[in-house]
Amino acid sequence: MSFDERPSAEALRSFLEDHPETRYLRYQWLDVGSVLRTIVVTKEFALHHGDGAFKGSAYTMAFFPDDTFNLSRFDPVGYDELYPDWRTLRPCTYLKDATSTASVMCFVKELSRNFPAWRRDPRKILDDVLQRAKKEFGMDFLAGFEIEFHLTDKMNREASQPVDFISQCYSAAALRDDRVLAVLDESMQAIREAGIDATHYHSEYGRGIFEIPLGPLRPIEAVDALLFSKEAIKTVAKRHGFSATCHPKPELLPSTIAVGGHVHFSIDNATQEVADSFLAGILTNTPAICAFTMANLDSYQRLGGYRATIGTWVGWATEDRDVAIRKIADRVGYWELRCADQTANMYYALAAWITAGCSGVKQKMALKWKDPTAFSTDMKAEQLAELGWDTKLPTSLEEAIGELEKAIQSHRLDDLGADFLQMYANFKKLEATQDKVKSEEERMAIYSETY
């Protein structure tokens, strides 16, 4: 899936022959703050430019998630280039006119003064990490995402016909309203018709929360599929008078409802020794990586035990859903990475996890964290310490950024690029500072639509 191996524009021409009704293409990319950005071009424009780049303004990576400028690294002089990856072409099956528009994910080459070319493009960074893991360790990976989302009725329906969301996990009662069922059915249909493997849906723990899990793919393809699927869910929901959000805090206090972004991740044909060292590398760096995987001020309200979220400690356990990392039983090198939500730029997040894991393999790290024999949330701190669990997860974005800066100073994640890591830490510090002065209502109004 590397940039150099992307197909020629012949793939575009072949797609258009198979989908002659297509009139527009959405050139899409994920920016630093995990906002899906889009430019819509005509098919004639796309064919004319073929393998070449779309030359745009210097704004591709210029914004915070609230759409204010990142003034610390913004210079409007110059331009950026978007390179479509024609392998990702899909009809936008979720639109009302499902045949008129297709989408394609793009690599972003910055040629402005904002940042060196390719050094913070999310797909290119993950591409480089995957190639390095393959070259140095012979490793390949699979990733699959659980898409949790919260539905809110936005139609101002008559009081005689309210949508009564049921707070029951795996509940038949949650699926009895035909309007809700239509959103779920059409979302699944749109995702599957686009060639993405989605096998089922169900209600989740928490009022109005549902989940559609996606099947495993190679990491870049997995994130591409995730972004398409989230856009499908949100668009279908809006057409039916609902708002669907993946923001981790979808309701105001005192509600404790939380939306996660759990990632199923595996190493092909891993030995136990490699799997243990890989996991040790991730756990060693988990507090710092949280700045990537729990990337919003409101991400940290998911912390806590007895909530089936992520617990409070850096650790792992077999088939325990109250921990940061759940090991899948009877599988070597297969985990569910639970300390994540959909405010994460998942290209960055996977790149960080893989970089940390490979550092563990390179150093032959011992897995000091032991698998609890009891429910970890019921165990006292001294009991967990005997298992090597001696570090708590960050309790705020600022704390996670501080841990990332410690990792930068100790060069633990340098394979991601020292300049990139410092840029990201500075970006998130400014974002957190801006978000802290917003009220809870203001943050929800912005980010429930953004994410």
Side-chain angles (χ1 to χ4, degrees), residues 263-285:
V263 184
H264 286 254
F265 181 86
S266 64
I267 309 170
D268 290 8
N269 305 312
T271 65
Q272 192 64 60
E273 180 183 6
V274 165
D276 286 352
S277 292
F278 194 93
L279 180 57
I282 290 179
L283 290 169
T284 297
N285 290 284

Side-chain angles (χ1 to χ4, degrees), residues 143-148 202 204-205 211-214 226 246 258-265 293-294 302 307-311 320-326 335-344 346 350 353:
F145 293 93
E146 296 178 0
I147 307 178
E148 292 183 9
H202 60 85
E204 258 290 354
Y205 176 73
E211 178 182 309
I212 297 177
L214 304 181
L226 169 69
C246 298
V259 177
H262 306 152
V263 184
H264 286 254
F265 181 86
T293 62
M294 298 164 63
R302 292 181 63 237
R307 299 183 63 195
T309 53
I310 56 175
D320 184 342
R321 287 173 169 80
D322 236 18
V323 294
I325 298 178
R326 172 172 73 106
W335 308 276
E336 180 192 22
L337 307 173
R338 298 179 61 81
C339 49
D341 61 57
Q342 293 295 347
T343 65
M346 287 298 182
L350 284 170
W353 278 319

Side-chain angles (χ1 to χ4, degrees), residues 288 401-412:
I401 295 166
E403 294 295 332
L404 178 59
E405 290 181 321
K406 290 178 186 176
I408 293 169
Q409 292 165 6
S410 61
H411 305 286
R412 296 202 310 265

Side-chain angles (χ1 to χ4, degrees), residues 33 55 60 118 187 217 271 437 448:
K55 185 176 177 180
T60 58
W118 299 124
S187 295
L217 291 167
T271 65
V437 301
S448 63

